[in-house]
Amino acid sequence: MSAFGYGYLAALLVFIYLPIVIMMAMAFNESSNYELPFRFSLIWFEQLAGNEVLWRAGRNSMLLAAVNTVVATVIGTMAALAFARYKVRGHAFLQVLLVPPMAVPWLILATSMLIFFYYTGIGRGLHAMLLAHVALSLPYVVIVVGARLQSFGVDLEEAAATLGATPLQTFFRVTLPVIAPGVAAAALFAFGISFDQFVTSYFLSPPGVTTLPVEIYASIRKGFTPEINAISTLIIVLSMALLLLVSRFYRFGGR
């Protein structure tokens, strides 16, 4: 790589990560107006500990993301396995239907879901947000797990069946261990999409029930405080720790 290439890469990384580093640093600055010189303090984390509104919204986001991860990963893995191992009528058309939820802007999807849930009696609430999050996460899970299945032939499964294994035993003892890295990556996608989802949560949340992205948006509109920096720092640290743990466990990048 030329010097220009290294310089471009360095500039790109600085452009991406410098705002994040500054935001995390300001979470430890005593001043609420980002005044310099920097004075280290944990005051914003102390105030965050007593902010019940943000913690309630955070619990809602964690609950939605956790349930969405389980539901979307299970259903998406089953769908990916069906696409990879069975040929049914309309197979290609069903696969094409995975594209629109990823290509259509979430604003349009959220509006259509709000109208649909209203007229079908589902209404608004955590249950409606969960349905919306699962619908948005499923295409990503199917594609990620499906890509893993494409690199995994049927030879081992046929060998297990020849040795007397049932389809259920073959899946849990042969197929699932092989595609586990893909399933883990798909689960991380589903969790991230749900936890970070703002548009559908904003449209489908009833009064008094919000998720963390919606509450952060409302707090910024009322007046920004470094408590947002503090909770954002916690989210970044926990997310990176989870990602490093999973990537280390499954060795996505090899040894």
Side-chain angles (χ1 to χ4, degrees):
M1 185 182 294
S2 64
F4 175 78
Y6 281 111
Y8 176 79
L9 179 60
L12 183 63
L13 293 175
V14 169
F15 179 78
I16 294 175
Y17 288 104
L18 184 59
I20 298 176
V21 172
I22 293 176
M23 182 272 298
M24 296 177 66
M26 288 300 105
F28 297 94
N29 191 6
E30 184 179 8
S31 173
S32 61
N33 298 319
Y34 307 121
E35 295 176 352
L36 297 176
F38 180 90
R39 289 174 294 181
F40 180 84
S41 175
L42 297 177
I43 182 174
W44 305 117
F45 289 90
E46 295 173 358
Q47 293 194 11
L48 174 64
N51 192 327
E52 183 59 30
V53 176
L54 281 178
W55 284 115
R56 188 185 307 115
R59 286 193 294 268
N60 290 337
S61 289
M62 288 295 298
L63 175 63
L64 278 173
V67 177
N68 170 75
T69 300
V70 174
V71 175
T73 303
V74 171
I75 298 177
T77 301
M78 294 168 59
L81 189 62
F83 282 135
R85 297 293 185 260
Y86 304 98
K87 301 298 180 182
V88 297
R89 182 176 298 179
H91 179 272
F93 177 71
L94 291 175
Q95 286 186 311
V96 170
L97 290 179
L98 296 173
V99 178
M102 297 185 294
V104 177
W106 282 346
L107 178 62
I108 297 176
L109 290 175
T111 304
S112 61
M113 288 179 181
L114 176 61
I115 297 173
F116 175 76
F117 290 167
Y118 176 78
Y119 281 104
T120 55
I122 297 177
R124 301 162 65 188
L126 289 176
H127 63 290
M129 287 187 278
L130 176 61
L131 291 174
H133 290 191
V134 170
L136 294 175
S137 303
L138 270 176
Y140 295 91
V141 176
V142 174
I143 290 176
V144 173
V145 178
R148 181 67 177 177
L149 284 168
Q150 291 299 323
S151 62
F152 168 49
V154 298
D155 297 342
L156 292 177
E157 295 173 335
E158 291 176 349
T162 302
L163 294 173
T166 64
L168 199 60
Q169 289 175 327
T170 300
F171 174 75
F172 282 106
R173 296 187 179 183
V174 178
T175 307
L176 186 58
V178 174
I179 66 172
V183 174
L188 289 176
F189 265 109
F191 185 89
I193 290 171
S194 177
F195 190 84
D196 193 47
Q197 183 57 235
F198 167 77
V199 181
T200 55
S201 298
Y202 184 79
F203 276 68
L204 298 176
S205 60
V209 178
T210 59
T211 59
L212 190 58
V214 176
E215 189 59 42
I216 289 177
Y217 172 74
S219 299
I220 292 176
R221 292 186 61 188
K222 297 175 184 176
F224 189 84
T225 65
E227 293 176 46
I228 305 300
N229 291 344
I231 196 168
S232 299
T233 300
L234 292 178
I235 293 172
I236 292 173
V237 172
L238 293 176
S239 299
M240 293 303 297
L242 177 63
L243 182 60
L244 291 174
L245 178 64
V246 173
S247 62
R248 176 64 178 174
F249 182 77
Y250 285 107
R251 292 175 180 171
F252 291 138
R255 291 185 177 274

